[in-house]
Amino acid sequence: MFRRASPRFTPLRGLKGPRFARYFHLITTNFIDFDSRGNLASRKVSMIVGNPGETYVLIDPEVGTTIRAASPFASHSAAGAERSCKLTFFHDSQHFGFGSSSYPRLYVPSQMPRQTESNSSPATLFLSGKMYEIVLDGTPDAKFAEDASASGRNLESVLRQLEHM
């Protein structure tokens, strides 16, 4: 399945500027987490990835919330107020997580470009929108996700007002 979203308008005739489009590919991958008994359990989840070389994935909010709840870096008392969560992408095993041997883990079946010489790249999970987004830090995709998340927060009060009209 191929879909495209254009975050920037095509430049007007005679104007020079970047032309940018995002392509979406729906895939199924493994998400490993602890079940209600404390045993590791793997389940198939859908996610959206970009073209090769792009550094983002879109995930179901339920998966994102589960990952966020397991974060060792965030204050759980303020969990509702935080809109992002730090993660790491492990290139050799091709998964997002908090540590190379920790859980939960979200596998990405295609290789993401390395951001450092090491086996891992820092990433951020953005917890907003209809689908949550994980991006590798310091990339154009990370800038796009950050801007989109900020726009959503800025428009939240306006949208609430429109709901009550």
Side-chain angles (χ1 to χ4, degrees):
M1 170 186 272
F2 297 97
R3 298 190 191 265
R4 186 178 88 155
S6 297
R8 296 185 192 157
F9 292 103
T10 303
L12 297 173
R13 189 174 29 179
L15 297 177
K16 302 273 189 223
R19 194 171 188 168
F20 181 37
R22 266 186 157 185
Y23 292 88
F24 297 151
H25 309 285
L26 182 63
I27 62 168
T28 301
T29 190
N30 290 320
F31 179 61
I32 301 175
D33 192 19
F34 294 101
D35 65 15
S36 60
R37 296 183 191 170
N39 299 317
L40 283 178
S42 177
R43 65 180 163 128
K44 296 288 186 188
V45 296
S46 295
M47 77 164 45
I48 293 174
V49 298
N51 281 340
E54 292 184 313
T55 58
Y56 72 92
V57 298
L58 301 174
I59 61 174
D60 185 272
E62 179 186 338
V63 172
T65 301
T66 301
I67 292 171
R68 166 60 187 86
S71 174
F73 308 116
S75 163
H76 293 287
S77 62
E82 294 183 29
R83 304 274 181 157
S84 66
C85 177
K86 289 297 183 187
L87 294 172
T88 301
F89 183 73
F90 298 91
H91 294 278
D92 290 347
S93 56
Q94 296 180 271
H95 81 273
F96 286 102
F98 298 108
S100 62
S101 59
S102 67
Y103 293 92
R105 291 184 182 185
L106 179 65
Y107 286 89
V108 179
S110 59
Q111 189 57 261
M112 294 190 122
R114 290 180 188 264
Q115 302 304 301
T116 65
E117 294 296 318
S118 71
N119 175 45
S120 62
S121 294
T124 301
L125 165 63
F126 288 92
L127 300 143
S128 61
K130 293 288 184 188
M131 294 191 77
Y132 292 174
E133 185 167 14
I134 303 174
V135 294
L136 296 186
D137 293 349
T139 64
D141 290 318
K143 175 73 170 126
F144 178 80
E146 188 176 320
D147 290 347
S149 180
S151 295
R153 283 191 308 273
N154 294 340
L155 293 174
E156 190 170 19
S157 65
V158 174
L159 293 173
R160 284 193 189 135
Q161 289 174 1
L162 290 172
E163 285 178 350
H164 293 62
M165 292 184 111

